[in-house]
Structure formats: structure tokens, C-alpha cells
Amino acid sequence: MSTAAHAVALPDQLSTPILDSESHYLLLSISSHGGYAYVSMATLAASGDFRAAEAAREMAWEQLHSGPWHSVLPVWRDAYSMACLYVAKFHYRNGEFKDALRVLDMGFIMGGMLLRKDLVSAIQIISAKARENDVQTHGFEKSEHKLVREAEFQKSEVRCFVFYLPSLYLARLWTKWNDMDYLIKVAGDRTVPVEINELRNDICIPDYCFVGGGELRSVNAWFGPAGTVTPLHRDPHHNILAQVVGKKYIRLYPASLSGELHPYSETMLCNSSQVDLDNIDEREFSNACDLEFMDCILEEGEMMYIPPKWWHYVRSLTTSFSVSFWWSEQGS
């Protein structure tokens, strides 16, 4: 029996307890906002109609794009999550794991909070099944497909910044995350805006984050090609940036120079500088070129501490995979 034939015979193992208990009330809420056509399609989807499930998802998608994002009613975000779960159930029963993951990821990204736990649970189940299916079909041996090969590296001759915190665990992480086949196996089928949950288990939190009773706020992984730029900005928390694969150029300005770096006045951009370090407008920001800064090239296996509200500019010099750890002092 082929793998595909075996997958078709699988029962629906996606448990959606929140959807099961809340669908009636959610549909009533959608009806109260004029979503009668959606309710009709969602009801058919719950009874086993795949085309109705797809139609419901399209209707909710249109509502999500009917105006500015902040004006979208939360009930339509939950409606989109509901439809995604129904569509994913059909794909899963047919052994179409990659299609199911794409639908669920979009539900997670664009949907509301009501059904978030059902989406996460379904993603975990299907991701595990998809990886198991790939191993049975293709197998995964030690790969030679490296993101960045050691021969590509030349040690920097100049190092102006000395806040380096070496960590032994990065060596193990580098071995995994520099392996393209590993990344494809673990997260290659995922559609993500920021998060790749499957890689979270590979990350150990450095002890530095807990010195003095610190409280971890956020862990982020950053993956991109050479030339990727993060413009000059500042963050509110303590930050350790760990370079796992590749290398980055980093420039830092102390928080005391905030006035000279001209933060945007808009609320959404107030942590970003109007000064473009790659193309400084010397007429508008005449003193920007004279400001003192510290810079470095952060290489694989190295970590750097960035104090709260310090301005930093980052450019990837090669294909790069980094992890940043934000933490705050106790009580702050």
C-alpha cells in the first residue's frame, strides 16, 4: 500500500474542542453582523461539505480585507479561523498534510483569538504527521546542504565593540540550523510571519537573561539572505543577540544620543530613527555623520549584549540565522 493510500484511510484525528463548544454561539454572533451567507456555508461545512468550507473561508477572507485592519470586526477574524479549521480537517483526512498546514497557518496569522488553541493543536498534530510521512517516504540522512559553508568566512580584522558573550550551546544549534535539509524537514511547509514554533525546542535560554532576577519577555529568530538590513531602531528591553549561522555587521549608538537620531513622531514608528545610515541626508540630518558609535561584525557562535533603548543598525553579511532574547529586570 502506498503512503498516499494509507493516509487517505486515516480517521479525522484533529481535536477541536473549542470549535465544537463555541461554534453555535460564534455563528449567532456572525448572523447578528449580517453574515447569513457565511453561516449557511459554515453549517454545511460542519456537516461534511468541503466546497462549503472553502466558500466560507473566502467569505471571511473578503471581510478581513473590506477596509483597514483595525476596522475589521473581531467576529470575522474568528469566522476565518473557523473556516480554516473546517478546510484543514478535509485536507487531513485526505492525507494532504502540506495543504492542511498552509490553511491552518493562515488561520493562525489572520484569525482571531477564540479558536487559537484549536489551531495550535491541529498544527502540532499535522506537522508531526507530515514529518513522519516524509521520513517514511524519503528518509533524512546527515545533510551536506549547508546554508553557509566555513570556507565562505574570513575573520574580521577590526573589532570595535567588545560586549561578546560566547556560549557553548550555540555550537549544537549551529549544526542544526546550518543544515538546509533539517530546516526544510522541521519547518519547510510552514507559512509564517514571524514565528516558527518547531524550531523553538532547539533554543536554550542563556543564563545571562536571568542574572539579577530578570524576566524573559520575548525570544525571536531572524532568518534572511545576505544584504538584509534592519534600519536604525531601539528596543525597550535588555537584549542578547546570538549569531547562530552566518555573520552580521552591527552598529550601536547610546540612548543618550536619541535626540540627534531623530525618532519618528508617529506612535507606531517612535522606536525607529529617521536617519537612513545607508543614505544619510546630510542637509536634514547634518550632525548624524559626526555622532560617535560602536560597531562590530558578529560571527557564528558569538553573542552580544545590547542595553535597553540603545540604537542599533544590523546588516547581514551572509545568509544569516540569529536569535534575540529580550528580558527585563524584575518588577519593571
Side-chain angles (χ1 to χ4, degrees), residues 115-134:
L115 304 176
R116 182 61 59 96
K117 289 185 178 179
D118 281 354
L119 288 166
V120 171
S121 174
I123 287 170
Q124 291 174 342
I125 292 171
I126 296 177
S127 293
K129 194 64 184 178
R131 289 195 294 271
E132 176 187 327
N133 203 46
D134 283 340

Side-chain angles (χ1 to χ4, degrees), residues 101-325:
L101 279 176
R102 291 190 187 99
V103 170
L104 290 170
D105 280 331
M106 290 305 299
F108 186 85
I109 295 168
M110 302 294 291
M113 296 303 298
L114 177 65
L115 304 176
R116 182 61 59 96
K117 289 185 178 179
D118 281 354
L119 288 166
V120 171
S121 174
I123 287 170
Q124 291 174 342
I125 292 171
I126 296 177
S127 293
K129 194 64 184 178
R131 289 195 294 271
E132 176 187 327
N133 203 46
D134 283 340
V135 170
Q136 292 174 352
T137 305
H138 307 292
F140 286 98
E141 299 178 355
K142 186 174 181 180
S143 171
E144 294 300 324
H145 300 153
K146 303 300 183 184
L147 289 175
V148 178
R149 297 187 178 276
E150 294 180 8
E152 296 179 30
F153 283 94
Q154 298 294 329
K155 283 291 183 179
S156 171
E157 295 181 359
V158 179
R159 291 180 175 240
C160 303
F161 195 44
V162 294
F163 288 176
Y164 288 103
L165 303 174
S167 177
L168 294 176
Y169 95 88
L170 285 178
R172 180 178 66 85
L173 194 57
W174 181 85
T175 301
K176 285 187 172 183
W177 287 15
N178 198 34
D179 185 338
M180 180 61 78
D181 286 348
Y182 173 77
L183 296 176
I184 291 173
K185 178 180 70 171
V186 172
D189 296 326
R190 300 298 308 279
T191 302
V192 295
V194 176
E195 303 172 33
I196 310 175
N197 286 335
E198 282 78 359
L199 297 178
R200 178 62 180 83
N201 293 333
D202 291 340
I203 300 174
C204 299
I205 309 300
D207 292 339
Y208 305 110
C209 299
F210 304 106
V211 173
E215 181 180 353
L216 191 68
R217 295 293 184 181
S218 178
V219 177
N220 297 298
W222 311 101
F223 178 48
T228 301
V229 169
T230 302
L232 191 62
H233 71 288
R234 60 181 176 178
D235 300 314
H237 302 297
H238 297 277
N239 182 10
I240 284 181
L241 179 63
Q243 190 63 22
V244 182
V245 175
K247 55 184 175 180
K248 287 182 170 178
Y249 170 78
I250 303 173
R251 179 182 288 194
L252 297 99
Y253 295 86
S256 60
L257 295 179
S258 293
E260 289 86 345
L261 292 174
H262 304 277
Y264 284 96
S265 57
E266 294 88 345
T267 303
M268 292 294 292
L269 294 172
C270 63
N271 71 325
S272 298
S273 170
Q274 298 181 59
V275 178
D276 180 0
L277 292 184
D278 291 310
N279 186 24
I280 297 178
D281 186 339
E282 297 186 18
R283 291 177 299 176
E284 186 172 2
F285 309 116
S286 57
N287 65 337
C289 294
D290 299 324
L291 296 177
E292 292 188 5
F293 61 83
M294 293 177 281
D295 64 356
C296 73
I297 294 177
L298 194 66
E299 310 242 12
E300 288 180 356
E302 296 177 335
M303 297 197 295
M304 182 175 64
Y305 170 67
I306 302 175
K309 299 184 180 180
W310 274 48
W311 296 88
H312 46 289
Y313 163 96
V314 183
R315 174 185 288 274
S316 296
L317 301 180
T318 66
T319 300
S320 173
F321 222 142
S322 312
V323 181
S324 61
F325 303 90

